[in-house]
Amino acid sequence: PCIKDIREKYIKLYEQYGGEKFEIIGIGDDPENRIKEFTMQNNIPWIMISDSKRKIQESYRVKFFPGLYLINPEGIIIAKGNELKKDKLELILKKCLMEL
């Protein structure tokens, strides 16, 4: 389901809103070569980072992949996890971008 969401939702949102006010950074726990392969196979336009040693995961206490976090320009998490599932991400994103 998460790959389907990437293909059907996140790429579209990135194309629509990505840029100066909105950025996606993907972090996976696979080795770098598998992350690159996944990125190419799925035409992902944003940065993907390998965290195969789980340093990022431990530092930010990420328990599950995929983990979704919407962080404002000041670095504050404004929504995460189930708050961003399905169409909720687009609604929150529209509201946040209107406030900027």
Side-chain angles (χ1 to χ4, degrees):
C2 59
I3 294 173
K4 182 179 177 186
D5 282 348
I6 287 171
R7 290 179 184 149
E8 294 178 4
K9 294 179 186 170
Y10 304 132
I11 290 175
K12 206 178 296 182
L13 285 174
Y14 189 81
E15 289 171 352
Q16 187 173 357
Y17 298 107
E20 197 172 308
K21 295 183 180 180
F22 174 69
E23 186 59 65
I24 294 176
I25 299 172
I27 301 169
D29 59 354
D30 290 311
E32 189 173 340
N33 64 328
R34 292 204 52 209
I35 296 287
K36 285 182 181 178
E37 182 180 319
F38 176 80
T39 301
M40 290 174 52
Q41 287 176 346
N42 292 284
N43 297 315
I44 296 174
W46 55 81
I47 295 169
M48 291 287 296
I49 300 169
S50 171
D51 186 32
S52 60
K53 295 184 181 177
R54 300 178 192 257
K55 290 182 180 184
I56 297 169
Q57 188 175 359
E58 289 174 15
S59 295
Y60 290 93
R61 297 183 183 113
V62 175
K63 295 180 181 180
F64 305 103
F65 283 110
L68 299 175
Y69 299 86
L70 187 57
I71 303 169
N72 72 10
E74 289 78 34
I76 298 169
I77 296 172
I78 56 174
K80 65 182 178 180
N82 288 334
E83 299 167 346
L84 299 171
K85 296 289 183 181
K86 306 208 184 254
D87 296 326
K88 294 177 187 177
L89 172 60
E90 186 169 12
L91 293 173
I92 293 171
L93 187 57
K94 282 180 183 179
K95 180 182 177 213
C96 291
L97 291 175
M98 286 174 43
E99 293 173 1
L100 291 177

